[in-house]
Amino acid sequence: MRGAQFLAGVLCYAVVLAGGQTPVPAVSPTPPVESYAADCGGNYSELSGEILSPNWPRDYGNNASCNYAITAPSSHFLTLSVNAFSTADEGDTLTIIDPGAVIGRYSGHMLGAGDVINSTGHQLYLRFSSDSTNGTGGFNITYRAQPIPGDCPDPGTPDYASRVGAALVPGSTVQYTCDAGYTLYGNSSLTCQAGSWDSPIPTCRAACGGNITNATAGVILSPGYPSWYAANLSCTWTLSAPEGTSLRLTFTNFTLEDGNDFLYVYDADRPDDQPERTLTGSDVPASWLSRTNNVILRLVTNADSGREGFSLIYESIPETFCRNPGPILHGNSTAAEALYSAGQSVTYRCEAGYQLLGNATLTCQQGSQRSWDAAPPVCYAPCGGNLTAANATIASPTPDHENTGIRDCYWQIHVDDSYRVLITFNSFQLRESDAYLAIFDGGDLAAAPLANFSSTAPAVADVYSTGSQVLLHFHHGPTDSYGNFSITYFEAKKKHCPDPGTVENGRRSGDDFSIRSSVIYTCNGGYQLEGRKTIICKPGNPPTWDYPTPRCELVKDCEDPGTPENGQRDSDDFSVGSSVSYTCQDGYRLAGEATLTCTRSPGSRPKWDHQMPACEEVPIQLCHDPAFLHYGSYDPKTHHYRVGSVVTFSCDPGYVLKGSKNLTCLMGNSRVSTPRWSNAYPTCEKSQVKASSVSSGNNTALGVGLFVVLALLGVGGVVAYKWRRKILELLQKNKTSNVPPSFDNPMYEVPANNTDDGPSVEVTAEA
Ligand SMILES: *[C@@H]1O[C@H](CO)[C@@H](O)[C@H](O)[C@H]1NC(C)=O
Ligand SMILES: *[C@@H]1O[C@H](CO)[C@@H](O)[C@H](O)[C@H]1NC(C)=O
Ligand SMILES: *[C@@H]1O[C@H](CO)[C@@H](O)[C@H](O)[C@H]1NC(C)=O
Ligand SMILES: *[C@@H]1O[C@H](CO)[C@@H](O)[C@H](O)[C@H]1NC(C)=O
Ligand SMILES: *[C@@H]1O[C@H](CO)[C@@H](O)[C@H](O)[C@H]1NC(C)=O
Ligand SMILES: *[C@@H]1O[C@H](CO)[C@@H](O)[C@H](O)[C@H]1NC(C)=O
Ligand SMILES: *[C@@H]1O[C@H](CO)[C@@H](O)[C@H](O)[C@H]1NC(C)=O
Ligand SMILES: *[C@@H]1O[C@H](CO)[C@@H](O)[C@H](O)[C@H]1NC(C)=O
Ligand SMILES: *[C@@H]1O[C@H](CO)[C@@H](O)[C@H](O)[C@H]1NC(C)=O
Ligand SMILES: *[C@@H]1O[C@H](CO)[C@@H](O)[C@H](O)[C@H]1NC(C)=O
Ligand SMILES: *[C@@H]1O[C@H](CO)[C@@H](O)[C@H](O)[C@H]1NC(C)=O
Ligand SMILES: *[C@@H]1O[C@H](CO)[C@@H](O)[C@H](O)[C@H]1NC(C)=O
């Protein structure tokens, strides 16, 4: 195999040498060893075909010299696409020739699958030669004839633009740039491709607004300028110049519909979003210098047709001073000058109720480009807080633009405990119907509500707490425009009840007269409290004590000493110095002092000098029954006359009583315990005889005398009875025959066994 190739190559080479001229075509001079092996060179005029190395797909062999001529129609060019390429060494070379110029010489692996080579004209020559050694490898190259593309048309230059690039041949580009103030719509760069541009030609128009970063110098035009601007426009231009510079606007043309169309000029540091300039009409405005490096322009036109519009030039100017940093909302600054030099400062302060966020003091920085070292601070009112100062202002919370929604804010006010809180309203304008401000009389929501203010119930009057704590609760719905309020609170003297005073002959404990506190009264010794001991200050307007101040009254009386069972007291007068006496009922006797006296020692209550006595039962002992009375009777007739019983005697008509009318049964004395009547029994005597009263006394005396004699004689009871009758009869016959004997002597009626107790007091005393 290898040998056959080599041989064919040698033969071919010989032919070439013999011809002494350019390699001749591909008709193999020798019969090919293998009929499919490729020819060496040839003329190619088809629109496409394959250029193959000799013997392809086998090795090309040594000493090859093959010429390939490719010819396409003159309106075409040729493209070679490498499918495979490999030669053994540098001596085996494929040369590609564009008529008039060698495109390249290739050996080894200098070409690879996918490589493309274009001709400029419609012809190409390829020459392959191999040396005497190492004739291995080959190539497979596809060619295609393609029409030559034409030039592009001149794209021209749109209005308000400039162009770079004039060539129109395929592959050439042109680039457009709009004039200052105009915006390019479309592609700024066009490329000629096969006779046409790859994009439409752009246009340059003055746009409605734009963001201009690095605004060092430029032009701003009204939309469509120099054509008239349109109706119903709202165009915004933002200009950001480098830090440390400000922007100068110089108007060159200006015509707006006077009073209907406006150009607003804003500087970035205005906190209230108000424009610095509001421009309209057809007078060209004076140039303007911003304070900051950020400026906004806004053109607003109405529904009427427009006007010519405006053109202006902006340029950034390095600052050589710091400008007044301007006011802030809800705050004040010391900035009074328009311009500040390096090192100077301004200080901001927030209104009461607002807190400062940021740097309070700004200093104008050193350097050629002047600016403040910090942005102006922000004053904001917080949503809630704990306040312990003696007085402070609370402002309605600054709307939170990041967290819109329902909001509840709580403020706890706690002043010194010896004060209460007075809340005054500086302003109160709630607009939202959901919004309200509730005030509680204490430290938490459980405290009693004091007030609830809203859009329909606006705060009109001051609010006082009772104690030292107040809770404020502000609620609003999901809106920023709920309205506003401003409150100042103060320490206020606590609300008091009037001084309830002291009490004579007593004292008060407690000096706190504030609401819900109490004072206690006590009386000195010897005095007693009239009224309430403890009185409480109750809330009200004004607060009042729940009971009047009590009094201490001198105690004049001893307490009721009482009455013992089965006894009596003779008096209800318990006043100091008076006495009460006790007696006991029949059959009872006093144990203790019978008489109590009410006495007072200084500084103490009156007291009885003794304890109340008791009545204790005595053994039953009776006085003798008077038994009977001649010509009269007695009452009561109980037959049981206890100690203390009183018997009243009365005489029949025509008789008068002699002696005591009433007899009382008395306790016996210590030696003889038998009770006795207080007096001798009386007698009833005829009343006609006036003088008889004297003789009756004599007769009685006589009788008694006889009786005593008899008693002394020691006569017994029965004898004595008989004798008594006789004596009485004798007396009546001899002395006063018409006077009946007054009564029977009880002595004689006592049974014999009672003899010891029988004798009366008089008798015993006589004995
Ligand atoms: C190839 O073309 C050249 C000139 O165009 C011609 O002289 C030559 O005879 C051609 N060879 C063949 C094999 O057609
Ligand atoms: C031919 O091939 C041999 C080895 O096969 C190599 O040593 C020699 O350098 C090659 N000759 C050239 C001219 O590349
Ligand atoms: C060759 O021409 C073709 C067709 O026009 C083109 O696609 C290709 O880019 C060209 N290649 C080179 C290398 O010029
Ligand atoms: C040449 O290469 C192309 C692409 O790989 C292939 O399609 C073609 O059959 C090859 N020709 C020959 C004769 O091998
Ligand atoms: C300017 O930028 C802002 C945001 O940075 C953007 O919302 C606005 O659409 C831009 N305006 C224009 C005209 O590009
Ligand atoms: C801003 O513009 C100036 C001049 O046009 C230029 O020198 C500078 O590099 C630009 N700066 C930025 C950040 O683009
Ligand atoms: C703008 O004003 C200049 C002179 O300031 C003038 O020459 C020019 O015509 C004006 N342009 C338009 C469109 O009015
Ligand atoms: C702010 O300053 C003005 C003028 O100096 C003064 O009248 C006003 O009370 C100040 N306000 C506050 C909140 O300090
Ligand atoms: C205040 O300014 C100083 C520089 O002057 C800066 O370091 C500091 O961070 C600023 N503080 C605030 C809260 O902006
Ligand atoms: C106020 O104090 C209470 C406790 O007394 C605390 O729970 C609450 O978070 C505080 N509020 C603020 C805003 O500091
Ligand atoms: C507010 O409180 C301060 C002390 O914190 C006091 O000096 C000042 O007098 C008070 N003002 C009023 C109006 O009570
Ligand atoms: C005797 O007793 C009666 C009733 O007890 C009384 O009314 C009367 O006054 C008494 N008489 C004398 C003299 O004590």
Side-chain angles (χ1 to χ4, degrees):
M1 257 284 264
R2 186 96 182 156
Q5 283 177 26
F6 182 69
L7 181 60
V10 169
L11 288 174
C12 186
Y13 187 62
V15 170
V16 169
L17 288 178
Q21 48 180 265
T22 29
V24 184
V27 182
S28 177
T30 51
V33 179
E34 290 168 10
S35 61
Y36 62 82
D39 295 338
C40 171
N43 282 347
Y44 299 83
S45 54
E46 302 296 319
L47 288 176
S48 66
E50 283 177 350
I51 308 293
L52 303 171
S53 54
N55 294 326
W56 178 267
R58 299 171 181 224
D59 293 336
Y60 52 80
N62 295 332
N63 300 316
S65 177
C66 310
N67 290 302
Y68 307 80
I70 311 168
T71 306
S74 63
S75 62
H76 289 62
F77 76 101
L78 292 163
T79 296
L80 301 179
S81 304
V82 179
N83 300 312
F85 183 91
S86 168
T87 69
D89 50 49
E90 287 172 3
D92 301 349
T93 305
L94 176 68
T95 306
I96 301 175
I97 304 153
D98 206 18
V102 173
I103 293 176
R105 300 173 201 279
Y106 307 98
S107 59
H109 295 281
M110 289 167 70
L111 290 175
D115 284 348
V116 172
I117 297 167
N118 289 342
S119 69
T120 52
H122 68 288
Q123 284 177 308
L124 271 183
Y125 297 106
L126 283 72
R127 178 178 299 149
F128 178 67
S129 60
S130 63
D131 61 14
S132 55
T133 60
N134 299 353
T136 59
F139 51 83
N140 171 348
I141 296 171
T142 300
Y143 78 87
R144 275 184 203 86
Q146 307 203 51
I148 296 172
D151 285 354
C152 287
D154 187 335
T157 305
D159 286 346
Y160 319 115
S162 56
R163 163 178 161 181
V164 174
L168 306 178
V169 297
S172 56
T173 62
V174 294
Q175 277 168 348
Y176 294 102
T177 323
C178 289
D179 294 346
Y182 291 89
T183 304
L184 185 137
Y185 293 86
N187 280 345
S188 63
S189 177
L190 307 186
T191 302
C192 179
Q193 283 183 345
S196 62
W197 298 102
D198 60 353
S199 320
I201 300 162
T203 58
C204 287
R205 292 198 305 273
C208 174
N211 289 335
I212 304 165
T213 57
N214 194 22
T216 48
V219 172
I220 292 177
L221 303 169
S222 53
Y225 192 86
S227 302
W228 287 24
Y229 59 81
N232 295 319
L233 289 179
S234 176
C235 307
T236 302
W237 291 265
T238 64
L239 287 76
S240 300
E243 288 284 338
T245 69
S246 53
L247 278 161
R248 182 162 64 204
L249 306 185
T250 307
F251 292 85
T252 49
N253 303 72
F254 194 91
T255 308
L256 298 187
E257 193 190 355
D258 195 8
N260 286 328
D261 301 337
F262 296 94
L263 178 68
Y264 302 103
V265 181
Y266 300 88
D267 210 344
D269 62 351
R270 272 292 280 260
D272 54 1
D273 292 342
Q274 292 301 304
E276 297 294 328
R277 305 283 295 272
T278 300
L279 305 172
T280 187
S282 47
D283 290 339
V284 177
S287 70
W288 175 79
L289 188 60
S290 69
R291 287 185 305 274
T292 73
N293 59 327
N294 290 296
V295 164
I296 293 174
L297 301 176
R298 182 168 289 139
L299 174 68
V300 179
T301 69
N302 72 352
D304 298 343
S305 60
R307 287 289 189 278
E308 290 87 338
F310 64 86
S311 68
L312 64 86
I313 298 166
Y314 64 81
E315 56 188 320
S316 71
I317 309 218
E319 291 278 28
T320 53
F321 43 76
C322 289
R323 291 168 176 276
N324 188 324
I328 59 171
L329 272 181
H330 303 299
N332 248 4
S333 84
T334 56
E337 308 298 326
L339 303 172
Y340 290 84
S341 48
Q344 289 186 304
S345 294
V346 298
T347 299
Y348 284 88
R349 249 188 64 209
C350 289
E351 287 171 12
Y354 287 84
Q355 292 182 3
L356 189 133
L357 200 64
N359 265 343
T361 298
L362 314 185
T363 304
C364 186
Q365 287 177 314
Q366 306 286 342
S368 60
Q369 294 192 347
R370 298 277 162 75
S371 63
W372 297 102
D373 62 349
V378 170
C379 291
Y380 80 103
C383 170
N386 289 333
L387 301 114
T388 52
N391 53 63
T393 296
I394 295 170
S396 48
T398 303
D400 183 349
H401 297 293
E402 276 162 23
N403 294 311
T404 53
I406 291 173
R407 191 156 61 151
D408 289 280
C409 307
Y410 299 92
W411 292 267
Q412 283 186 357
I413 301 173
H414 194 162
V415 298
D416 189 286
D417 278 338
S418 54
Y419 293 92
R420 61 188 173 133
V421 184
L422 161 63
I423 293 173
T424 62
F425 286 84
N426 311 314
S427 69
F428 189 88
Q429 283 168 335
L430 288 187
R431 286 192 289 273
E432 191 209 346
S433 60
D434 286 354
Y436 63 81
L437 176 71
I439 305 178
F440 294 88
D441 196 11
D444 54 40
L445 290 168
L450 281 175
N452 194 330
F453 299 121
S454 63
S455 59
T456 51
V460 287
D462 295 349
V463 175
Y464 284 92
S465 69
T466 47
S468 59
Q469 289 195 67
V470 163
L471 180 72
L472 302 179
H473 173 200
F474 175 60
H475 171 95
H476 74 78
T479 170
D480 282 352
S481 55
Y482 54 78
N484 62 71
F485 60 81
S486 170
I487 289 168
T488 303
Y489 78 83
F490 301 94
E491 277 177 346
K493 287 248 181 300
K494 268 194 174 160
K495 234 177 173 183
H496 284 135
C497 279
D499 187 340
T502 53
V503 67
E504 259 187 82
N505 302 310
R507 59 194 177 81
R508 184 188 74 209
S509 56
D511 292 325
D512 184 359
F513 307 152
S514 59
I515 286 168
R516 280 188 262 284
S517 55
S518 57
V519 295
I520 298 172
Y521 287 94
T522 46
C523 290
N524 296 340
Y527 292 85
Q528 67 186 13
L529 195 89
E530 295 288 326
R532 287 279 182 140
K533 181 180 171 71
T534 301
I535 60 175
I536 299 170
C537 180
K538 60 177 186 185
N541 202 5
T544 49
W545 296 102
D546 60 346
Y547 287 94
T549 306
R551 294 184 318 278
C552 285
E553 300 282 3
L554 182 68
V555 183
K556 295 200 191 73
D557 293 337
C558 284
E559 282 175 22
D560 184 340
T563 308
E565 251 187 274
N566 304 309
Q568 300 103 42
R569 191 180 65 210
D570 67 344
S571 169
D572 288 336
D573 180 2
F574 306 148
S575 57
V576 173
S578 61
S579 296
V580 294
S581 294
Y582 290 93
T583 50
C584 293
Q585 291 173 10
D586 292 351
Y588 296 85
R589 62 184 169 201
L590 280 173
E593 289 293 330
T595 299
L596 275 50
T597 303
C598 181
T599 59
R600 175 202 293 280
S601 51
S604 66
R605 295 169 150 265
K607 287 201 187 84
W608 298 106
D609 57 350
H610 296 104
Q611 283 201 332
M612 180 187 79
C615 283
E616 57 181 31
E617 206 173 4
V618 293
I620 293 181
Q621 290 171 337
L622 305 173
C623 282
H624 295 291
D625 193 339
F628 62 88
L629 173 68
H630 293 292
Y631 316 116
S633 69
Y634 54 91
D635 185 65
K637 287 189 169 138
T638 63
H639 307 297
H640 284 85
Y641 299 100
R642 295 183 175 197
V643 171
S645 307
V646 175
V647 178
T648 302
F649 292 84
S650 55
C651 294
D652 296 342
Y655 295 85
V656 290
L657 193 90
K658 287 249 168 178
S660 292
K661 180 173 169 65
N662 294 340
L663 266 61
T664 303
C665 179
L666 299 177
M667 193 68 115
N669 65 16
S670 55
R671 276 197 292 138
V672 181
S673 57
T674 310
R676 57 179 175 82
W677 293 107
S678 56
N679 301 80
Y681 297 134
T683 56
C684 289
E685 291 177 9
K686 247 200 164 76
S687 61
Q688 289 94 326
V689 182
K690 285 274 177 208
S692 68
S693 64
V694 178
S695 61
S696 168
N698 292 341
N699 290 344
T700 305
L702 176 62
V704 171
L706 285 171
F707 166 73
V708 170
V709 171
L710 286 172
L712 288 171
L713 287 173
V715 178
V718 177
V719 175
Y721 183 72
K722 290 170 181 168
W723 274 99
R724 189 188 63 156
R725 301 293 302 194
K726 285 200 167 32
I727 290 167
L728 285 173
E729 281 164 18
L730 178 73
L731 281 170
Q732 279 174 304
K733 263 185 222 164
N734 296 341
K735 313 286 181 178
T736 56
S737 53
N738 56 339
V739 179
S742 58
F743 58 83
D744 290 339
N745 193 311
M747 182 177 174
Y748 301 104
E749 287 183 348
V750 176
N753 61 343
N754 273 350
T755 310
D756 285 351
D757 294 334
S760 68
V761 173
E762 291 86 342
V763 171
T764 338
E766 302 274 344

